[in-house]
Amino acid sequence: FVAFVGVSKNDPLWRILRATAERYRPALGNFELKTAAPDMPSPDAQIQLLRELGTDNMRALCIQPADTAIMKDILDDMRMKGVAVTTMMTHIEATTPFMHAGVDDLAVGIAMADAIYDALDGRGTVAVLHDGKLKPRHTDRHWGFQDRISELPSLTVLREMDCQNNEFIAQRLLRDYMKRFPRLNGWVAIDNWPLQHLAGQPRLLPDSCTMVTYGPFPQYWPRLLDGTCY
């Protein structure tokens, strides 16, 4: 059988990933497809689920890892036992790379530069939040953004700030900078740090300032509707 495993049943991406797997079920022929996700988003719960599925008859595993460091060893072990392992969405660094299906983060960065250009009608001042190259996907996204923004001279990047991959630091940096430069036209956040745990909080930006960020999750869609992000 082929196993298709998510982070948790409540993860926003799980319904999308599971529906995609079901769509391609007929292409598996005689192989049975088993889709599963733990109740809670934790690596321990995901490891327990993999143990319950077992590897005796498992021929392939597609998995969105709950944690890259913790899941690496068990996925390596499964691969040694003959299971073809493909990581989804979240890449795991390994000496022998795992097969991977996910987002082209370089292209995402380029798209973010184009989006802020469109949002500001091609002219204005911008500040950027990044994570100091802590995560490879953020690094690729940041490179893509920087490469594309250099081709758009009518946009001026006033400052780039390292939020250390922490949503609370990101929100503090953003609010503090807006107090000092209230006429800033736009923000680009390489990931969705400023939007995390924002429910019930005041708007981060005035109506005159636009944010472009990344996070294709349903809980952030209201932020598009209320103008928090573009």
Side-chain angles (χ1 to χ4, degrees):
F1 68 91
V2 174
F4 201 91
V5 176
V7 170
S8 81
K9 293 176 181 176
N10 295 321
D11 184 80
L13 282 178
W14 173 236
R15 285 179 292 175
I16 299 169
L17 294 174
R18 183 177 57 186
T20 302
E22 292 293 345
R23 179 181 178 185
Y24 289 97
R25 182 188 289 270
L28 295 175
N30 293 327
F31 285 102
E32 180 185 1
L33 174 66
K34 294 185 179 182
T35 60
D39 293 330
M40 298 297 294
S42 83
D44 288 341
Q46 195 172 57
I47 289 170
Q48 180 59 35
L49 177 60
L50 291 175
R51 287 173 176 159
E52 291 171 0
L53 287 170
T55 58
D56 289 346
N57 295 311
M58 187 187 297
R59 293 295 174 262
L61 168 68
C62 297
I63 183 168
Q64 183 186 4
D67 184 281
T68 56
I70 296 175
M71 297 304 298
K72 176 181 176 297
D73 288 342
I74 190 170
L75 295 181
D76 254 334
D77 182 61
M78 295 179 72
R79 184 164 56 176
M80 291 294 291
K81 292 178 180 177
V83 178
V85 177
T86 299
T87 57
M88 301 184 296
M89 304 307 291
T90 303
H91 177 66
I92 292 181
E93 295 290 331
T95 304
T96 303
F98 291 98
M99 292 181 288
H100 181 68
V103 174
D104 183 344
D105 283 293
L106 200 66
V108 171
I110 293 170
M112 293 172 81
D114 288 336
I116 195 66
Y117 182 87
D118 291 342
L120 301 182
D121 296 324
R123 184 173 300 276
T125 54
V126 179
V128 179
L129 281 172
H130 61 84
D131 73 345
K133 300 181 180 179
L134 282 175
K135 292 185 177 292
R137 69 177 185 275
H138 295 156
T139 301
D140 289 348
R141 207 175 296 165
H142 194 189
W143 282 344
F145 171 79
Q146 289 178 319
D147 186 58
R148 178 63 177 141
I149 208 73
S150 68
E151 301 171 354
L152 305 172
S154 57
L155 291 182
T156 302
V157 177
L158 295 181
R159 188 170 179 185
E160 295 202 356
M161 286 171 270
D162 179 4
C163 74
Q164 301 171 45
N165 197 42
N166 183 290
E167 62 269 27
F168 301 109
I169 293 176
Q171 292 166 16
R172 177 175 55 78
L173 288 171
L174 192 150
R175 293 187 192 279
D176 289 349
Y177 198 74
M178 288 307 300
K179 289 178 182 177
R180 295 166 55 200
F181 300 97
R183 288 187 286 183
L184 183 75
N185 300 122
W187 280 89
V188 174
I190 298 303
D191 208 345
N192 56 23
W193 308 292
L195 302 185
Q196 296 174 25
H197 307 295
L198 197 60
Q201 299 296 317
R203 273 184 56 126
L204 280 169
L205 301 174
D207 292 339
S208 59
C209 191
T210 299
M211 177 186 293
V212 167
T213 188
Y214 173 82
F217 306 112
Q219 68 262 38
Y220 298 133
W221 296 348
R223 299 300 174 184
L224 291 170
L225 299 176
D226 70 12
T228 299
C229 58
Y230 178 79

